[in-house]
Amino acid sequence: MMGGGVSVTLTADTNIIQDFTERIAMGRVTGSCILVLMLAGPAAAAGRPNILVVCAEDLSPFFGCYGHAEARTPNIDAFAAGSTLFRHALTTAPICAPSRSSLVSGMHAESLGTQHLRSEVQIPTAVRPLPKVLKEHGYWTAIRGKSDYNFSAKGLYDSWVGAETVPWEACPEGRPFYVFMNLGATHEGTGNAAARAERFLKKVGHRRDPATCVPPPYYPDTPRMRELWARYHDLATGFDIDFGETLARLEADGLADNTIVVLLSDHGHGMPRYKRWLYLTGLHVPLIVHVPGQAGRAVERPVSMIDLPATVLALAGAEVPDVYQGKPLETDGGGGNRLPIFAARDRADDMYDLSRLVFDGEYVYIRHFTPYLPYLQEGYIFSDAKDSLRELRRVHLAGEDTAESAKLWSPRPLEELYHIPSDPEELVNLAGDPAHQETQQRLAGTLKQHILAVRDTGFLWEPEMHRRAVENGVTPFEVARDPALYPLERVVDAAWRAGAEDLADLLSDPDPAVRFWALQSELIRGQRRPGLVRPLLEDGNALVEVTAAEVLARSGETQPARSVFLRYLNAAEPRLQLYNARALALSLDDVGPIEPEVRDALLRLRDPGGNPYVPYKDFMYSAFTSWALESSLVKSGLAEFKDFK
């Protein structure tokens, strides 16, 4: 009996079609009940439980059970009534691949080197992915849909199936299963394209009236934006229907009484200021855990999704590997170290970034290490190809931005600080306010300690991280733990100082990672000192040379910069090629003098088979490098994005 009586609605705005059983107690229970002790109920009596994780894509807690008054999510609300609902669960990254990397590895992505979307990273045997550990404890494992871990999932699962398959049907009799099931109704692609959304909305009966959907304050309140916000409400209802059908199938197969069900999302809505944004809007996700026979309860204390893999292992009766950076979740009132919570933002597609966040339950502190890059960088991923960006750009170009929507287009401050109880939308930046100086310094110190503790690989920058790994025959994870390969404290110190200090003395540092951050200081502080930077065009380290070229190009010295960009335009190392293409696109206003070379590089990145849907050699570095080069042509008035699709 799923949820001890959870009713499942299979179509919207109709009577409940199927009532599984009588409802169990629905009262909200608080106290120090440890989640892993839930196995003392009927699930344990029948043997080891099955575990089903249902993952929404790009979905904030748009459910009635989370207090969202406008939601139509009857299946999820009924499911939550008999489950443990974590009201303030935060994922480790505001975009899918690094978030999913943490969900499967039990480690912060930046600790593994898997923080960039999307990438191919080697991991050592010391890393213990969740499905592998469960298999060692006798579980049959399966995944439906994408893995998206930024490392190979080959061999992790016994079965890997498509969207129309019920994964547990292939489980051998007598073995417990672990199934990770993706349900994609709410993905950014559907939220930003009416035609793509329609296939998920066919089951939704009564659609939301856009006139009743007031967008959040960081969007301009226009009829079009209300339409988009209404669509996301309807997609959440579509997801609710899909989830209800999943529970119904589990019940029909006689598995509900011995299956723990976890409902979650990989990050917040697939809309601007949510997905890709390192705010709570991008990190706050639903997390609901159902163990048969247990009463419903709500956990108010913030928790991190870094703890979910350890929680799953504890529920399965398996020991949590020492390498995991989370612990089994407890309800409020228990022990544990749920706070502070940390999250990270790095490269997404072809858009580079490095930002880090800490949340102590009251204040959010964010530090941007490349603040000169605006929230909405120029390029394909933020182009008019998406409905939301098209509307935001229309308003922006018409000069009709609100004070909040204008911020989306602006460079970022070095530091941000928000008091969440009084400012849940994170609108009033308190960084620099003398009244909050002590809090700002305290959280900055906490964040820096965490960066050092997890051996954050992000400060090496992606091409350099992989260069050191390849040249030394190790993985990025191992690079980060070898002080000879990664003098972490010195590199992080340079990055930390880059936003506020003149680092000219570090331009000759023996470590190229430190020289890179000295050049970043030139960009962050808007300094124009070509004489200091010019010698680094022949540095001998490719990352430093390309960064020096970007600094010079932004200073007006385009000819020597173009020579460097041409040097690496067809670099064999894909990460270096991508970084070079993006630096070129950002710093050159006119690529006309090298247009033939740029177009030739684009042709080299194309799929020779001419696939009209994915025209690149892969939907990773080839695609992202192409987008950067296409952006340079569009910016120069030599093409439009539609010319390449």
Side-chain angles (χ1 to χ4, degrees), residues 513-529:
V514 175
R515 299 198 296 278
F516 168 82
W517 282 108
L519 287 168
Q520 286 293 310
S521 177
E522 300 289 305
L523 293 170
I524 295 169
R525 303 178 71 217
Q527 298 173 134
R528 299 289 184 266
R529 301 187 293 185

Side-chain angles (χ1 to χ4, degrees), residues 305-321:
M305 296 295 277
I306 195 68
D307 294 323
L308 188 66
T311 303
V312 169
L313 288 178
L315 288 167
E319 186 176 354
V320 178

